[in-house]
């Protein structure tokens, strides 16, 4: 049995919300227990916030916007964000261990997440003093120009699969644009969003600019998205909840950015570099145990190389070691027992309908971790287009293999779901790759490498995968509004 105290001091973990200068502890509110998904054992507790806490947090953020943050120069905003990146890197080992304990992911993946979170603050630090407007030529008798002004108080509703990195992805551009923030972390993985408050304060962020309200999404999330003083909501989560967020924000004409998941295809044509396609497919579906909105959860492959690829995928996935994330296995646990049951229900249903299970398809048993939320890497073979496991997001280590006979059919199958977050293609034919990029319905297209890009590349979906863009310069459009000033001279 692993001893988590060998990796992180659990006595020093946060047990509070952050509203301005106030730290509201677990002893002041109903408790929510934080469990290690690899063991099922509790290791921390946080408070369940209330609607009153939401009101206080939004009021605090609104006051900080007017009384302190607006007077901070763009150059100083950039310096604060840059210092934040430095502190995250300084504390990276501790943050990664906490992220692994909270979410279950292997420690190497958690370390990558922490570095990416630092990169978001670093990237937007360099942009804070460059959000300049334009001049508009109206003739010699007029001067017309635009100003970029912060939208106001922003809300960030964070998913459980990438806690700190998703928080940074939304909060960094919001702060760079001059907005204030109220963060609602996921119930299962709240710790690093809370710790970020201390990091930002150490970096020099004025009190009240960044606030964290923990609690149940049904109560806290609804109160935030419907609040009259919230100007923008950034949400990552399910389609059903995303629609509710949009409807709630509409009552106050607040803008929204929605990232609602996907059923993303990895297309492999017969002329592809098969070794690269194999590695890319494994990473696309098994990173973070498949709990990735942009996971390549469908392999759309030409018939000529289908059997060869599936055989290699089975061999590789069956060789995975599965264990506690702190031991850095190939595959860690799913985030909770609830998620294991969701995944298993999908796979069991497919098996009952006659779907071929090439490998996996059951809970994984790990010595010494009998109570952990583990699931075998699973490959479902020869999936029809209309099969549920090819249409719905499973959010687990389950790959659906779909066989096609041409590049044209591959595009059709790739477009056969209601989602459109990302798509990837492996081929040596640049024309086929560009045709795919042109014709596939997705917000991002990867060619000969899945999960290509970084913090500078815009990210978001089409169709039921949502709208709006995060990452890169495109993300800033959510956090500033354009004011046009025109005068006769």
């Amino acid at each position: 049995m692993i001893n988590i105290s060998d990796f992180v001091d659990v006595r020093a973990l946060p047990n509070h919300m952050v509203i301005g200068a106030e730290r509201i502890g677990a002893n002041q509110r109903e408790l929510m227990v934080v469990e290690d998904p690899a063991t099922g054992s509790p290791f921390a507790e946080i408070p369940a916030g209330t609607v009153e806490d939401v009101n206080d947090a939004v009021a605090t953020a609104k006051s900080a916007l007017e009384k302190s943050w607006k007077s901070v120069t763009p150059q100083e905003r950039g310096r604060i964000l840059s210092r934040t990146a430095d502190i995250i890197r300084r504390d990276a080992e501790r943050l990664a261990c906490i992220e692994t304990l909270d979410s279950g992911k292997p420690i190497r993946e958690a370390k990558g997440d922490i570095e990416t979170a630092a990169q978001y603050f670093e990237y937007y630090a360099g942009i804070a003093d460059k959000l300049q407007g334009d001049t508009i030529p109206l003739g010699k008798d007029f001067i017309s120009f635009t100003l970029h002004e912060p939208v106001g108080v922003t809300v960030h509703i964070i998913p459980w699969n990438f806690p700190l990195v998703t928080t940074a992805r939304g909060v960094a551009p919001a702060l760079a644009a001059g907005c204030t923030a109220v963060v609602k972390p996921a119930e299962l993985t709240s710790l690093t969003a809370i710790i970020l408050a201390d990091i930002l304060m150490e970096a020099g962020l004025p009190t009240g600019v960044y606030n964290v309200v923990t609690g149940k999404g049904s109560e806290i999330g609804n109160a935030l998205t419907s609040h009259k003083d919230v100007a923008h909501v950034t949400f990552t989560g399910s389609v059903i909840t995303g629609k509710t967020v949009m409807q709630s924000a509409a009552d106050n004409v607040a803008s929204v950015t929605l990232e609602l998941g996907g059923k993303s295809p990895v297309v492999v044509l017969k002329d592809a570099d098969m070794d690269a396609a194999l590695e890319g497919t494994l990473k696309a579906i098994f990173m973070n145990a498949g709990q990735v909105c942009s996971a390549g959860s469908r392999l759309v492959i030409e018939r000529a190389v289908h059997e060869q690829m599936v055989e290699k995928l089975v061999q590789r996935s069956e060789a995975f070691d599965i264990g506690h994330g702190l031991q850095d296995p190939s595959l860690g646990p799913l985030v909770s027992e609830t998620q294991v049951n969701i995944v298993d229900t999908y796979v069991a249903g497919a098996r009952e309908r006659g779907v071929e299970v090439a490998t996996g398809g059951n809970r994984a048993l790990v010595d010494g971790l009998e109570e952990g939320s583990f699931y075998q890497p699973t490959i479902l073979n020869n999936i029809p287009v209309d099969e549920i496991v090819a249409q719905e997001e499973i959010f687990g280590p389950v790959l659906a293999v779909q066989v096609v006979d041409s590049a044209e059919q591959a595009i059709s199958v790739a477009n056969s779901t209601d989602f459109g977050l990302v798509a990837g293609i492996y081929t040596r034919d640049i024309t086929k790759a560009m045709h795919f990029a042109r014709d596939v319905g997705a917000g991002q297209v990867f060619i000969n490498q899945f999960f290509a890009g970084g913090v500078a590349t815009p990210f978001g979906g089409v169709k039921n995968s949502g709208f709006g863009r995060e990452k890169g310069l495109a993300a800033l459009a959510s956090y500033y509004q354009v004011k046009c000033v025109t005068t006769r001279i």
Side-chain angles (χ1 to χ4, degrees):
M1 176 67 73
I2 193 167
N3 184 3
I4 62 175
S5 62
D6 292 339
F7 297 87
V8 62
D9 184 359
V10 294
R11 297 167 300 176
L13 296 178
N15 62 352
H16 56 264
M17 295 182 289
V18 180
I19 300 177
E22 188 175 7
R23 301 296 188 263
I24 301 172
N27 60 340
Q28 299 169 268
R29 295 289 186 273
E30 177 188 346
L31 291 180
M32 297 196 307
V33 175
V34 181
E35 294 183 351
D36 175 358
T39 65
S41 301
F43 68 93
E45 54 191 27
I46 56 176
T50 64
V51 172
E52 289 73 23
D53 294 320
V54 168
N55 292 335
D56 289 345
V58 174
T60 298
K62 183 179 179 181
S63 177
L65 179 71
E66 297 298 328
K67 295 181 179 179
S68 61
W69 196 226
K70 274 189 175 181
S71 64
V72 174
T73 66
Q75 292 81 3
E76 179 58 19
R77 289 203 301 265
R79 284 191 283 268
I80 291 170
L81 297 183
S82 182
R83 289 194 291 267
T84 300
D86 292 340
I87 298 168
I88 289 173
R89 289 194 173 105
R90 182 198 70 192
D91 297 345
E93 190 73 28
R94 175 173 181 261
L95 288 166
C97 288
I98 293 170
E99 205 81 313
T100 288
L101 279 176
D102 223 1
S103 68
K105 65 180 61 185
I107 187 67
R108 68 182 181 283
E109 294 183 12
K111 288 178 178 179
D113 289 354
I114 302 308
E115 170 57 25
T116 301
Q119 288 176 15
Y120 278 121
F121 283 101
E122 191 171 57
Y123 179 83
Y124 290 107
I127 293 172
D129 62 352
K130 300 171 185 67
L131 295 176
Q132 56 197 32
D134 301 305
T135 58
I136 303 163
L138 297 179
K140 66 177 184 177
D141 295 329
F142 292 89
I143 291 176
S144 185
F145 59 92
T146 61
L147 302 172
H148 288 178
E149 298 182 339
V151 296
V153 177
T154 63
V155 162
H156 305 263
I157 300 178
I158 308 302
W160 46 256
N161 56 338
F162 289 92
L164 184 61
V165 75
T166 309
T167 303
R169 189 174 75 187
V171 168
L175 298 183
C179 299
T180 54
V182 180
V183 171
K184 162 61 179 75
E187 297 166 40
L188 296 173
T189 56
S190 296
L191 297 179
T192 49
I194 301 170
I195 294 170
L196 181 60
D198 291 332
I199 292 173
L200 286 163
M201 182 173 293
E202 183 180 347
L205 191 74
T207 299
V209 174
Y210 176 88
N211 307 272
V212 182
V213 181
T214 55
K216 299 174 182 177
S218 57
E219 183 177 1
I220 303 305
N222 289 342
L224 283 168
T225 57
S226 62
H227 200 288
K228 64 181 179 59
D229 290 328
V230 168
H232 180 83
V233 178
T234 294
F235 170 80
T236 301
S238 71
V239 174
I240 293 174
T241 306
K243 290 179 179 178
T244 301
V245 167
M246 185 164 54
Q247 291 166 352
S248 179
D251 287 340
N252 297 303
V253 200
S255 57
V256 295
T257 299
L258 300 178
E259 196 266 275
L260 306 180
K263 194 69 181 178
S264 300
V266 182
V267 172
V268 177
L269 302 183
K270 61 187 178 184
D271 68 339
D273 179 332
M274 298 307 294
D275 290 335
L278 174 65
E279 297 301 326
T281 302
L282 289 167
K283 180 180 180 181
I285 186 55
F286 295 128
M287 186 178 78
N288 199 23
Q291 301 168 116
V292 184
C293 297
S294 53
S297 55
R298 290 186 294 143
L299 172 61
V300 180
I301 187 164
E302 278 201 278
R303 194 174 305 276
V305 291
H306 163 234
E307 290 186 7
Q308 170 193 353
M309 175 64 87
V310 170
E311 181 181 349
K312 290 183 177 180
L313 286 168
V314 168
Q315 290 174 349
R316 289 286 298 277
S317 62
E318 288 181 348
F320 283 175
D321 63 303
I322 303 174
H324 197 295
L326 290 175
Q327 297 172 317
D328 206 24
S330 305
L331 200 70
L334 275 65
V335 74
S336 67
E337 186 68 15
T338 297
Q339 192 60 27
V340 171
N341 291 334
I342 290 171
V343 172
D344 195 48
T345 297
Y346 270 110
V347 175
R351 185 186 282 116
E352 290 173 2
R353 292 188 296 273
V355 168
E356 176 192 347
V357 180
T359 190
N362 296 290
R363 293 189 63 117
L365 301 178
V366 179
D367 289 343
L369 298 172
E370 288 80 5
E371 302 301 318
S373 301
F374 297 96
Y375 202 83
Q376 295 174 334
T378 299
I379 298 172
L380 307 178
N381 201 15
N382 287 299
I383 306 298
V385 167
D386 60 353
E387 164 60 44
I388 292 172
V389 294
Q391 291 292 322
E392 297 183 7
E393 187 175 42
I394 297 175
F395 229 61
V398 180
L399 179 66
V401 181
Q402 299 176 284
V403 184
V404 296
D405 292 305
S406 67
E408 292 74 21
Q409 188 184 7
I411 293 172
S412 176
V413 172
N415 286 334
S416 64
T417 76
D418 292 331
F419 293 102
L421 190 54
V422 308
I425 186 169
Y426 285 83
T427 177
R428 288 185 171 94
D429 189 324
I430 189 62
T431 299
K432 289 180 179 179
M434 289 297 102
H435 284 172
F436 178 80
R438 179 193 65 194
D439 296 335
V440 73
Q444 298 78 43
V445 179
F446 305 133
I447 298 175
N448 292 328
Q449 181 186 351
F450 211 81
F451 296 135
V455 300
T457 54
F459 179 77
V462 300
K463 301 192 289 186
N464 277 3
S465 289
F467 55 83
R469 292 295 178 266
E470 298 185 83
K471 301 173 55 175
L473 296 176
L476 293 160
S478 296
Y479 302 111
Y480 68 75
Q481 53 201 0
V482 177
K483 177 184 287 184
C484 184
V485 180
T486 304
T487 182
R488 182 186 292 274
I489 60 173

